[in-house]
Amino acid sequence: MVNNINIKKVHDPIGLINGKYHEFAGTFDGGYNTIKNLQINSCQFGGLFGLIGSTATVKNLNITDAKLDGEYSYVGTVAGKSFGLIDKVMIENPDINNTAKDSFTGGVVGSLISDSTSFNSASIFRTGVHNSKEDLCIIANGTLGGLAGIASDSRIHACYTNVTLKNTSNKYTGGLTGEFIVDKASKIYESYTICNIDSKGPSGNISGEIRVDTTSSVDSIDKSLVLVGLYFNSEINEYTAFARDNW
């Protein structure tokens, strides 16, 4: 990407062609340029990309004033679901309202999960979500996170969120992830969140819930290495906790 782009109409996600999703499998280098006024139709996987594959990278990109308003199974400003790497993406003033029940909503991605057939871990590095307009927020009717709605067997490093999160359901809400499912490769480190969280269900500054993958051995995971160097200073209307967890 060699220039800034101002999008003036509603589009389908990249990779949604004739009703079928195709994973993005290459490298998208934004060149530190800006996509402004991104708007995405209601769909299963909503975002700039529908699906980011395990071999793909999206990097060096600014997205400002994105508006995603509709029903999505998975939705985030960058992608509905990512199995790959997102690095150095700055998201300013996202306006997301996902009305779909039992959905997954995040400021960056709806779902961040490693592909079991790949050696690569799904990751978000050096990425931020920030709202400078007081009237904007991220609203969901399902699991909600400032970065990712749900993250499983994945890594989050050097990221931050400073947004208002509103969850109209009784699902999980967290400043970085709504749900964080821990496997051997899972880690959130050197990141911070300053969020205003309004949730009817369980919520936490870092994550609404943290739990170990049922296919993993709990004894083989060093919990002290999963959450490292984190800072939070959030306002939560209830269920105030560093992270609600069942591990």
Side-chain angles (χ1 to χ4, degrees), residues 9 38 53 72 75 80 83 116 120 165 168 181 185 231 236 246:
K9 63 179 182 178
L38 174 70
Y72 313 88
V75 66
F83 302 96
S116 61
N120 299 326
L165 304 173
T168 59
I181 302 174
Y231 169 80
I236 300 178
N246 292 324

Side-chain angles (χ1 to χ4, degrees), residues 91-94 106-107 128-133 136-138 144-147 160-166 174-176 193-198 234-235:
I91 298 168
E92 181 79 12
N93 298 328
V129 183
H130 176 74
N131 257 345
S132 59
K133 299 178 181 179
L136 293 182
C137 57
I138 300 175
L144 170 62
L147 287 176
Y160 76 92
T161 59
N162 185 352
V163 290
T164 295
L165 304 173
K166 293 184 179 181
L176 293 178
T193 175
I194 306 174
C195 289
N196 183 352
I197 297 176
D198 183 358
S234 301
E235 295 182 7

Side-chain angles (χ1 to χ4, degrees), residues 105-182:
T105 303
V108 180
V109 296
S111 172
L112 181 71
I113 183 170
S114 294
D115 186 341
S116 61
T117 64
S118 171
F119 292 105
N120 299 326
S121 293
S123 304
I124 301 177
F125 294 160
R126 297 177 290 187
T127 291
V129 183
H130 176 74
N131 257 345
S132 59
K133 299 178 181 179
E134 293 183 0
D135 59 330
L136 293 182
C137 57
I138 300 175
I139 303 172
N141 193 23
T143 303
L144 170 62
L147 287 176
I150 185 169
S152 177
D153 192 17
S154 55
R155 294 180 297 164
I156 295 171
H157 176 223
C159 294
Y160 76 92
T161 59
N162 185 352
V163 290
T164 295
L165 304 173
K166 293 184 179 181
N167 197 334
T168 59
S169 77
N170 60 359
K171 300 294 184 179
Y172 301 110
T173 306
L176 293 178
T177 65
E179 271 187 273
F180 189 58
I181 302 174
V182 177

Side-chain angles (χ1 to χ4, degrees), residues 45-117:
F45 302 105
L48 176 63
F49 296 87
L51 299 172
I52 295 175
S54 61
T55 61
T57 297
V58 177
K59 64 181 182 179
N60 305 334
L61 178 65
N62 303 309
I63 302 176
T64 65
D65 300 328
K67 185 176 180 63
L68 294 91
D69 188 352
E71 293 190 1
Y72 313 88
S73 299
Y74 298 86
V75 66
T77 307
V78 177
K81 182 178 284 190
S82 176
F83 302 96
L85 170 63
I86 296 170
D87 187 17
K88 291 186 180 179
V89 177
M90 297 298 122
I91 298 168
E92 181 79 12
N93 298 328
D95 184 6
I96 301 175
N97 182 19
N98 185 8
T99 58
K101 293 182 179 179
D102 300 322
S103 55
F104 295 89
T105 303
V108 180
V109 296
S111 172
L112 181 71
I113 183 170
S114 294
D115 186 341
S116 61
T117 64

Side-chain angles (χ1 to χ4, degrees), residues 187-204:
K187 192 171 185 179
I188 303 177
Y189 54 116
E190 296 175 355
S191 299
Y192 74 90
T193 175
I194 306 174
C195 289
N196 183 352
I197 297 176
D198 183 358
S199 174
K200 292 183 178 180
S203 55

